[in-house]
mmCIF file of all heavy atoms in Angstrom:
data_model
loop_
_atom_site.group_PDB
_atom_site.id
_atom_site.type_symbol
_atom_site.label_atom_id
_atom_site.label_comp_id
_atom_site.label_asym_id
_atom_site.label_seq_id
_atom_site.Cartn_x
_atom_site.Cartn_y
_atom_site.Cartn_z
ATOM 1 N N ALA T 1 76.868 -8.972 48.193
ATOM 2 C CA ALA T 1 78.263 -9.249 47.845
ATOM 3 C C ALA T 1 79.041 -7.939 47.786
ATOM 4 O O ALA T 1 78.523 -6.919 47.333
ATOM 5 C CB ALA T 1 78.338 -9.961 46.503
ATOM 6 N N GLY T 2 80.260 -7.978 48.249
ATOM 7 C CA GLY T 2 81.112 -6.797 48.203
ATOM 8 C C GLY T 2 81.455 -6.418 46.778
ATOM 9 O O GLY T 2 81.232 -7.184 45.830
ATOM 10 N N TYR T 3 81.979 -5.244 46.614
ATOM 11 C CA TYR T 3 82.340 -4.746 45.297
ATOM 12 C C TYR T 3 83.856 -4.648 45.218
ATOM 13 O O TYR T 3 84.487 -3.985 46.034
ATOM 14 C CB TYR T 3 81.703 -3.364 45.086
ATOM 15 C CG TYR T 3 81.436 -3.067 43.640
ATOM 16 C CD1 TYR T 3 80.318 -3.575 43.011
ATOM 17 C CD2 TYR T 3 82.324 -2.293 42.911
ATOM 18 C CE1 TYR T 3 80.075 -3.299 41.675
ATOM 19 C CE2 TYR T 3 82.096 -2.018 41.576
ATOM 20 C CZ TYR T 3 80.967 -2.524 40.962
ATOM 21 O OH TYR T 3 80.740 -2.257 39.650
ATOM 22 N N PRO T 4 84.481 -5.318 44.242
ATOM 23 C CA PRO T 4 85.952 -5.354 44.188
ATOM 24 C C PRO T 4 86.563 -4.070 43.625
ATOM 25 O O PRO T 4 85.891 -3.285 42.969
ATOM 26 C CB PRO T 4 86.218 -6.511 43.223
ATOM 27 C CG PRO T 4 85.048 -6.461 42.292
ATOM 28 C CD PRO T 4 83.864 -6.055 43.155
ATOM 29 N N MET T 5 87.841 -3.923 43.861
ATOM 30 C CA MET T 5 88.596 -2.870 43.202
ATOM 31 C C MET T 5 88.573 -3.193 41.710
ATOM 32 O O MET T 5 88.721 -4.350 41.314
ATOM 33 C CB MET T 5 90.034 -2.845 43.693
ATOM 34 C CG MET T 5 90.186 -2.497 45.153
ATOM 35 S SD MET T 5 89.940 -0.770 45.448
ATOM 36 C CE MET T 5 91.586 -0.207 45.154
ATOM 37 N N LEU T 6 88.409 -2.193 40.887
ATOM 38 C CA LEU T 6 88.285 -2.428 39.458
ATOM 39 C C LEU T 6 89.629 -2.502 38.738
ATOM 40 O O LEU T 6 89.761 -3.190 37.729
ATOM 41 C CB LEU T 6 87.422 -1.327 38.836
ATOM 42 C CG LEU T 6 85.995 -1.244 39.381
ATOM 43 C CD1 LEU T 6 85.293 -0.021 38.810
ATOM 44 C CD2 LEU T 6 85.231 -2.510 39.057
ATOM 45 N N PHE T 7 90.624 -1.794 39.257
ATOM 46 C CA PHE T 7 91.911 -1.704 38.587
ATOM 47 C C PHE T 7 93.044 -1.835 39.588
ATOM 48 O O PHE T 7 92.905 -1.460 40.751
ATOM 49 C CB PHE T 7 92.058 -0.357 37.862
ATOM 50 C CG PHE T 7 91.018 -0.138 36.799
ATOM 51 C CD1 PHE T 7 89.884 0.598 37.063
ATOM 52 C CD2 PHE T 7 91.175 -0.691 35.544
ATOM 53 C CE1 PHE T 7 88.909 0.790 36.097
ATOM 54 C CE2 PHE T 7 90.215 -0.504 34.564
ATOM 55 C CZ PHE T 7 89.073 0.245 34.836
ATOM 56 N N SER T 8 94.163 -2.320 39.110
ATOM 57 C CA SER T 8 95.369 -2.370 39.917
ATOM 58 C C SER T 8 95.801 -0.948 40.260
ATOM 59 O O SER T 8 95.709 -0.047 39.430
ATOM 60 C CB SER T 8 96.486 -3.074 39.136
ATOM 61 O OG SER T 8 97.723 -2.893 39.787
ATOM 62 N N ARG T 9 96.284 -0.774 41.479
ATOM 63 C CA ARG T 9 96.795 0.540 41.865
ATOM 64 C C ARG T 9 98.232 0.754 41.368
ATOM 65 O O ARG T 9 98.720 1.865 41.344
ATOM 66 C CB ARG T 9 96.754 0.700 43.378
ATOM 67 C CG ARG T 9 95.352 0.812 43.935
ATOM 68 C CD ARG T 9 95.400 1.400 45.335
ATOM 69 N NE ARG T 9 94.091 1.449 45.942
ATOM 70 C CZ ARG T 9 93.254 2.478 45.833
ATOM 71 N NH1 ARG T 9 93.586 3.513 45.115
ATOM 72 N NH2 ARG T 9 92.086 2.447 46.429
ATOM 73 N N THR T 10 98.883 -0.334 40.981
ATOM 74 C CA THR T 10 100.302 -0.221 40.643
ATOM 75 C C THR T 10 100.625 -0.467 39.173
ATOM 76 O O THR T 10 101.688 -0.080 38.720
ATOM 77 C CB THR T 10 101.134 -1.212 41.485
ATOM 78 O OG1 THR T 10 100.654 -2.536 41.240
ATOM 79 C CG2 THR T 10 101.025 -0.872 42.962
ATOM 80 N N GLN T 11 99.739 -1.097 38.432
ATOM 81 C CA GLN T 11 100.048 -1.419 37.042
ATOM 82 C C GLN T 11 99.009 -0.842 36.106
ATOM 83 O O GLN T 11 97.816 -0.888 36.389
ATOM 84 C CB GLN T 11 100.096 -2.926 36.840
ATOM 85 C CG GLN T 11 101.215 -3.609 37.582
ATOM 86 C CD GLN T 11 101.206 -5.103 37.325
ATOM 87 O OE1 GLN T 11 100.228 -5.667 36.894
ATOM 88 N NE2 GLN T 11 102.333 -5.741 37.620
ATOM 89 N N ALA T 12 99.474 -0.346 34.998
ATOM 90 C CA ALA T 12 98.557 0.101 33.956
ATOM 91 C C ALA T 12 98.032 -1.136 33.242
ATOM 92 O O ALA T 12 98.788 -2.011 32.856
ATOM 93 C CB ALA T 12 99.271 1.011 32.978
ATOM 94 N N CYS T 13 96.737 -1.225 33.109
ATOM 95 C CA CYS T 13 96.162 -2.405 32.479
ATOM 96 C C CYS T 13 95.586 -2.089 31.109
ATOM 97 O O CYS T 13 95.177 -2.985 30.393
ATOM 98 C CB CYS T 13 95.100 -3.015 33.386
ATOM 99 S SG CYS T 13 93.798 -1.865 33.782
ATOM 100 N N SER T 14 95.535 -0.831 30.789
ATOM 101 C CA SER T 14 94.926 -0.456 29.524
ATOM 102 C C SER T 14 95.354 0.952 29.149
ATOM 103 O O SER T 14 95.580 1.794 30.004
ATOM 104 C CB SER T 14 93.405 -0.505 29.651
ATOM 105 O OG SER T 14 92.787 0.102 28.555
ATOM 106 N N THR T 15 95.434 1.194 27.875
ATOM 107 C CA THR T 15 95.699 2.560 27.425
ATOM 108 C C THR T 15 94.406 3.361 27.363
ATOM 109 O O THR T 15 94.432 4.570 27.146
ATOM 110 C CB THR T 15 96.368 2.552 26.042
ATOM 111 O OG1 THR T 15 95.517 1.863 25.114
ATOM 112 C CG2 THR T 15 97.721 1.877 26.095
ATOM 113 N N LEU T 16 93.275 2.700 27.557
ATOM 114 C CA LEU T 16 91.976 3.378 27.496
ATOM 115 C C LEU T 16 91.617 4.071 28.807
ATOM 116 O O LEU T 16 90.773 4.958 28.828
ATOM 117 C CB LEU T 16 90.876 2.371 27.140
ATOM 118 C CG LEU T 16 91.032 1.669 25.789
ATOM 119 C CD1 LEU T 16 89.949 0.626 25.609
ATOM 120 C CD2 LEU T 16 91.026 2.678 24.648
ATOM 121 N N VAL T 17 92.241 3.640 29.899
ATOM 122 C CA VAL T 17 91.930 4.201 31.216
ATOM 123 C C VAL T 17 93.222 4.752 31.811
ATOM 124 O O VAL T 17 94.160 4.004 32.063
ATOM 125 C CB VAL T 17 91.317 3.130 32.155
ATOM 126 C CG1 VAL T 17 90.961 3.721 33.500
ATOM 127 C CG2 VAL T 17 90.101 2.487 31.502
ATOM 128 N N SER T 18 93.241 6.047 32.034
ATOM 129 C CA SER T 18 94.456 6.682 32.561
ATOM 130 C C SER T 18 94.640 6.361 34.043
ATOM 131 O O SER T 18 93.720 5.864 34.710
ATOM 132 C CB SER T 18 94.371 8.199 32.390
ATOM 133 O OG SER T 18 93.392 8.733 33.277
ATOM 134 N N ALA T 19 95.815 6.655 34.563
ATOM 135 C CA ALA T 19 96.109 6.414 35.976
ATOM 136 C C ALA T 19 95.141 7.192 36.864
ATOM 137 O O ALA T 19 94.635 6.655 37.852
ATOM 138 C CB ALA T 19 97.555 6.795 36.283
ATOM 139 N N SER T 20 94.860 8.435 36.528
ATOM 140 C CA SER T 20 93.941 9.234 37.357
ATOM 141 C C SER T 20 92.515 8.685 37.280
ATOM 142 O O SER T 20 91.790 8.688 38.275
ATOM 143 C CB SER T 20 93.977 10.705 36.952
ATOM 144 O OG SER T 20 93.567 10.870 35.613
ATOM 145 N N GLN T 21 92.118 8.186 36.122
ATOM 146 C CA GLN T 21 90.789 7.581 35.993
ATOM 147 C C GLN T 21 90.693 6.289 36.806
ATOM 148 O O GLN T 21 89.659 6.010 37.419
ATOM 149 C CB GLN T 21 90.459 7.301 34.530
ATOM 150 C CG GLN T 21 90.226 8.560 33.719
ATOM 151 C CD GLN T 21 90.150 8.279 32.227
ATOM 152 O OE1 GLN T 21 90.843 7.403 31.703
ATOM 153 N NE2 GLN T 21 89.292 9.030 31.545
ATOM 154 N N ARG T 22 91.782 5.507 36.813
ATOM 155 C CA ARG T 22 91.784 4.275 37.617
ATOM 156 C C ARG T 22 91.600 4.600 39.090
ATOM 157 O O ARG T 22 90.860 3.917 39.795
ATOM 158 C CB ARG T 22 93.077 3.492 37.393
ATOM 159 C CG ARG T 22 93.157 2.837 36.025
ATOM 160 C CD ARG T 22 94.274 1.798 35.935
ATOM 161 N NE ARG T 22 95.574 2.264 36.376
ATOM 162 C CZ ARG T 22 96.484 2.844 35.601
ATOM 163 N NH1 ARG T 22 96.221 3.069 34.326
ATOM 164 N NH2 ARG T 22 97.646 3.199 36.079
ATOM 165 N N VAL T 23 92.257 5.637 39.563
ATOM 166 C CA VAL T 23 92.117 6.045 40.963
ATOM 167 C C VAL T 23 90.666 6.425 41.257
ATOM 168 O O VAL T 23 90.087 5.996 42.251
ATOM 169 C CB VAL T 23 93.075 7.212 41.299
ATOM 170 C CG1 VAL T 23 92.751 7.823 42.651
ATOM 171 C CG2 VAL T 23 94.515 6.738 41.252
ATOM 172 N N ILE T 24 90.073 7.220 40.387
ATOM 173 C CA ILE T 24 88.682 7.647 40.583
ATOM 174 C C ILE T 24 87.746 6.447 40.594
ATOM 175 O O ILE T 24 86.890 6.314 41.491
ATOM 176 C CB ILE T 24 88.266 8.655 39.490
ATOM 177 C CG1 ILE T 24 89.003 9.972 39.673
ATOM 178 C CG2 ILE T 24 86.751 8.878 39.503
ATOM 179 C CD1 ILE T 24 88.903 10.921 38.486
ATOM 180 N N LEU T 25 87.894 5.556 39.627
ATOM 181 C CA LEU T 25 87.012 4.393 39.552
ATOM 182 C C LEU T 25 87.198 3.458 40.747
ATOM 183 O O LEU T 25 86.226 2.912 41.274
ATOM 184 C CB LEU T 25 87.221 3.659 38.231
ATOM 185 C CG LEU T 25 86.761 4.440 36.997
ATOM 186 C CD1 LEU T 25 87.223 3.754 35.730
ATOM 187 C CD2 LEU T 25 85.249 4.628 37.000
ATOM 188 N N ASN T 26 88.427 3.273 41.201
ATOM 189 C CA ASN T 26 88.662 2.469 42.401
ATOM 190 C C ASN T 26 88.040 3.132 43.632
ATOM 191 O O ASN T 26 87.451 2.458 44.477
ATOM 192 C CB ASN T 26 90.150 2.234 42.618
ATOM 193 C CG ASN T 26 90.692 1.126 41.759
ATOM 194 O OD1 ASN T 26 89.961 0.257 41.288
ATOM 195 N ND2 ASN T 26 91.999 1.147 41.536
ATOM 196 N N ASP T 27 88.171 4.448 43.736
ATOM 197 C CA ASP T 27 87.571 5.159 44.865
ATOM 198 C C ASP T 27 86.055 5.012 44.866
ATOM 199 O O ASP T 27 85.439 4.854 45.922
ATOM 200 C CB ASP T 27 87.955 6.637 44.845
ATOM 201 C CG ASP T 27 89.405 6.879 45.225
ATOM 202 O OD1 ASP T 27 90.072 5.942 45.720
ATOM 203 O OD2 ASP T 27 89.884 8.011 45.002
ATOM 204 N N VAL T 28 85.448 5.043 43.694
ATOM 205 C CA VAL T 28 83.994 4.860 43.590
ATOM 206 C C VAL T 28 83.615 3.446 44.018
ATOM 207 O O VAL T 28 82.624 3.244 44.724
ATOM 208 C CB VAL T 28 83.500 5.181 42.163
ATOM 209 C CG1 VAL T 28 82.067 4.745 41.959
ATOM 210 C CG2 VAL T 28 83.640 6.668 41.888
ATOM 211 N N ALA T 29 84.410 2.453 43.619
ATOM 212 C CA ALA T 29 84.140 1.069 44.024
ATOM 213 C C ALA T 29 84.215 0.925 45.540
ATOM 214 O O ALA T 29 83.369 0.271 46.154
ATOM 215 C CB ALA T 29 85.112 0.113 43.337
ATOM 216 N N VAL T 30 85.208 1.547 46.154
ATOM 217 C CA VAL T 30 85.354 1.504 47.614
ATOM 218 C C VAL T 30 84.156 2.193 48.279
ATOM 219 O O VAL T 30 83.599 1.701 49.267
ATOM 220 C CB VAL T 30 86.689 2.152 48.056
ATOM 221 C CG1 VAL T 30 86.738 2.377 49.553
ATOM 222 C CG2 VAL T 30 87.857 1.293 47.595
ATOM 223 N N TYR T 31 83.733 3.316 47.737
ATOM 224 C CA TYR T 31 82.572 4.042 48.267
ATOM 225 C C TYR T 31 81.325 3.166 48.189
ATOM 226 O O TYR T 31 80.566 3.070 49.157
ATOM 227 C CB TYR T 31 82.370 5.334 47.479
ATOM 228 C CG TYR T 31 81.206 6.168 47.951
ATOM 229 C CD1 TYR T 31 81.328 6.982 49.074
ATOM 230 C CD2 TYR T 31 79.992 6.132 47.285
ATOM 231 C CE1 TYR T 31 80.265 7.749 49.511
ATOM 232 C CE2 TYR T 31 78.917 6.896 47.721
ATOM 233 C CZ TYR T 31 79.059 7.701 48.837
ATOM 234 O OH TYR T 31 77.988 8.444 49.269
ATOM 235 N N PHE T 32 81.118 2.512 47.039
ATOM 236 C CA PHE T 32 79.941 1.663 46.860
ATOM 237 C C PHE T 32 79.956 0.506 47.845
ATOM 238 O O PHE T 32 78.938 0.204 48.476
ATOM 239 C CB PHE T 32 79.890 1.146 45.420
ATOM 240 C CG PHE T 32 78.647 0.382 45.068
ATOM 241 C CD1 PHE T 32 77.418 0.700 45.615
ATOM 242 C CD2 PHE T 32 78.703 -0.650 44.154
ATOM 243 C CE1 PHE T 32 76.268 0.005 45.265
ATOM 244 C CE2 PHE T 32 77.571 -1.358 43.804
ATOM 245 C CZ PHE T 32 76.349 -1.035 44.370
ATOM 246 N N GLU T 33 81.097 -0.136 48.013
ATOM 247 C CA GLU T 33 81.163 -1.245 48.964
ATOM 248 C C GLU T 33 80.875 -0.757 50.385
ATOM 249 O O GLU T 33 80.182 -1.418 51.152
ATOM 250 C CB GLU T 33 82.507 -1.949 48.923
ATOM 251 C CG GLU T 33 82.513 -3.118 49.892
ATOM 252 C CD GLU T 33 83.732 -3.992 49.790
ATOM 253 O OE1 GLU T 33 84.677 -3.671 49.049
ATOM 254 O OE2 GLU T 33 83.728 -5.019 50.467
ATOM 255 N N GLY T 34 81.391 0.403 50.737
ATOM 256 C CA GLY T 34 81.120 0.955 52.063
ATOM 257 C C GLY T 34 79.642 1.223 52.281
ATOM 258 O O GLY T 34 79.088 0.947 53.348
ATOM 259 N N LYS T 35 78.982 1.751 51.270
ATOM 260 C CA LYS T 35 77.537 2.018 51.375
ATOM 261 C C LYS T 35 76.761 0.715 51.488
ATOM 262 O O LYS T 35 75.788 0.629 52.252
ATOM 263 C CB LYS T 35 77.048 2.827 50.167
ATOM 264 C CG LYS T 35 77.511 4.258 50.192
ATOM 265 C CD LYS T 35 76.919 4.943 51.406
ATOM 266 C CE LYS T 35 77.268 6.395 51.491
ATOM 267 N NZ LYS T 35 76.638 7.074 52.613
ATOM 268 N N GLN T 36 77.172 -0.316 50.751
ATOM 269 C CA GLN T 36 76.511 -1.617 50.875
ATOM 270 C C GLN T 36 76.716 -2.189 52.275
ATOM 271 O O GLN T 36 75.794 -2.759 52.860
ATOM 272 C CB GLN T 36 77.055 -2.608 49.848
ATOM 273 C CG GLN T 36 76.503 -2.428 48.474
ATOM 274 C CD GLN T 36 76.924 -3.557 47.556
ATOM 275 O OE1 GLN T 36 78.068 -4.005 47.588
ATOM 276 N NE2 GLN T 36 76.012 -3.997 46.730
ATOM 277 N N ARG T 37 77.915 -2.048 52.804
ATOM 278 C CA ARG T 37 78.210 -2.554 54.148
ATOM 279 C C ARG T 37 77.333 -1.827 55.187
ATOM 280 O O ARG T 37 76.751 -2.450 56.069
ATOM 281 C CB ARG T 37 79.689 -2.363 54.471
ATOM 282 C CG ARG T 37 80.122 -2.965 55.799
ATOM 283 C CD ARG T 37 81.621 -2.814 56.012
ATOM 284 N NE ARG T 37 82.410 -3.306 54.907
ATOM 285 C CZ ARG T 37 82.702 -4.591 54.687
ATOM 286 N NH1 ARG T 37 82.263 -5.504 55.512
ATOM 287 N NH2 ARG T 37 83.444 -4.948 53.650
ATOM 288 N N GLU T 38 77.230 -0.504 55.069
ATOM 289 C CA GLU T 38 76.371 0.264 55.970
ATOM 290 C C GLU T 38 74.927 -0.203 55.870
ATOM 291 O O GLU T 38 74.233 -0.340 56.887
ATOM 292 C CB GLU T 38 76.424 1.759 55.631
ATOM 293 C CG GLU T 38 77.709 2.445 55.991
ATOM 294 C CD GLU T 38 77.745 3.893 55.489
ATOM 295 O OE1 GLU T 38 76.690 4.444 55.104
ATOM 296 O OE2 GLU T 38 78.845 4.468 55.486
ATOM 297 N N LEU T 39 74.464 -0.441 54.657
ATOM 298 C CA LEU T 39 73.096 -0.905 54.440
ATOM 299 C C LEU T 39 72.883 -2.256 55.110
ATOM 300 O O LEU T 39 71.901 -2.446 55.830
ATOM 301 C CB LEU T 39 72.796 -1.001 52.940
ATOM 302 C CG LEU T 39 71.433 -1.558 52.556
ATOM 303 C CD1 LEU T 39 70.307 -0.684 53.095
ATOM 304 C CD2 LEU T 39 71.336 -1.687 51.037
ATOM 305 N N ALA T 40 73.796 -3.184 54.888
ATOM 306 C CA ALA T 40 73.663 -4.517 55.487
ATOM 307 C C ALA T 40 73.650 -4.433 57.011
ATOM 308 O O ALA T 40 72.832 -5.080 57.662
ATOM 309 C CB ALA T 40 74.785 -5.426 55.006
ATOM 310 N N LEU T 41 74.531 -3.628 57.572
ATOM 311 C CA LEU T 41 74.569 -3.494 59.035
ATOM 312 C C LEU T 41 73.288 -2.868 59.573
ATOM 313 O O LEU T 41 72.770 -3.290 60.609
ATOM 314 C CB LEU T 41 75.785 -2.664 59.462
ATOM 315 C CG LEU T 41 77.136 -3.344 59.266
ATOM 316 C CD1 LEU T 41 78.272 -2.346 59.529
ATOM 317 C CD2 LEU T 41 77.264 -4.562 60.173
ATOM 318 N N SER T 42 72.760 -1.880 58.863
ATOM 319 C CA SER T 42 71.543 -1.211 59.340
ATOM 320 C C SER T 42 70.319 -2.101 59.196
ATOM 321 O O SER T 42 69.301 -1.868 59.856
ATOM 322 C CB SER T 42 71.323 0.108 58.586
ATOM 323 O OG SER T 42 70.902 -0.138 57.251
ATOM 324 N N MET T 43 70.409 -3.131 58.343
ATOM 325 C CA MET T 43 69.273 -4.026 58.129
ATOM 326 C C MET T 43 69.518 -5.430 58.676
ATOM 327 O O MET T 43 68.831 -6.367 58.307
ATOM 328 C CB MET T 43 68.943 -4.094 56.626
ATOM 329 C CG MET T 43 68.488 -2.772 56.038
ATOM 330 S SD MET T 43 67.896 -2.959 54.356
ATOM 331 C CE MET T 43 66.330 -3.801 54.640
ATOM 332 N N SER T 44 70.477 -5.562 59.568
ATOM 333 C CA SER T 44 70.802 -6.898 60.079
ATOM 334 C C SER T 44 69.628 -7.542 60.794
ATOM 335 O O SER T 44 69.463 -8.762 60.766
ATOM 336 C CB SER T 44 72.022 -6.833 60.996
ATOM 337 O OG SER T 44 71.751 -6.030 62.137
ATOM 338 N N ALA T 45 68.753 -6.743 61.406
ATOM 339 C CA ALA T 45 67.568 -7.304 62.064
ATOM 340 C C ALA T 45 66.589 -7.889 61.049
ATOM 341 O O ALA T 45 65.749 -8.722 61.405
ATOM 342 C CB ALA T 45 66.872 -6.228 62.900
ATOM 343 N N SER T 46 66.731 -7.486 59.789
ATOM 344 C CA SER T 46 65.887 -8.015 58.711
ATOM 345 C C SER T 46 66.595 -9.132 57.956
ATOM 346 O O SER T 46 66.245 -9.454 56.830
ATOM 347 C CB SER T 46 65.517 -6.886 57.734
ATOM 348 O OG SER T 46 64.782 -5.892 58.385
ATOM 349 N N HIS T 47 67.610 -9.715 58.600
ATOM 350 C CA HIS T 47 68.359 -10.844 58.033
ATOM 351 C C HIS T 47 69.144 -10.462 56.775
ATOM 352 O O HIS T 47 69.280 -11.263 55.865
ATOM 353 C CB HIS T 47 67.444 -12.034 57.743
ATOM 354 C CG HIS T 47 66.677 -12.506 58.929
ATOM 355 N ND1 HIS T 47 67.264 -13.206 59.942
ATOM 356 C CD2 HIS T 47 65.383 -12.341 59.271
ATOM 357 C CE1 HIS T 47 66.356 -13.478 60.866
ATOM 358 N NE2 HIS T 47 65.209 -12.948 60.478
#
């Protein structure tokens, strides 16, 4: 299963997570989904 964006890019959802932290966490989520996609593609012969 893909990994979703964790935070809105346009709205603050919490005072506990700053705008810069939201960007970092979203970037990590995008990185993780990309790595999962690469893994799935490289293992497609293994179903």
Side-chain angles (χ1 to χ4, degrees):
Y3 208 81
M5 296 285 273
L6 299 173
F7 299 97
S8 168
R9 290 198 184 270
T10 58
Q11 295 180 342
C13 58
S14 168
T15 58
L16 299 175
V17 182
S18 70
S20 61
Q21 290 170 325
R22 288 194 309 270
V23 169
I24 291 167
L25 292 170
N26 280 338
D27 288 348
V28 169
V30 168
Y31 181 80
F32 186 34
E33 182 172 6
K35 288 297 183 177
Q36 281 188 319
R37 185 176 308 280
E38 288 174 14
L39 176 61
L41 290 172
S42 73
M43 296 188 72
S44 63
S46 298
H47 304 286

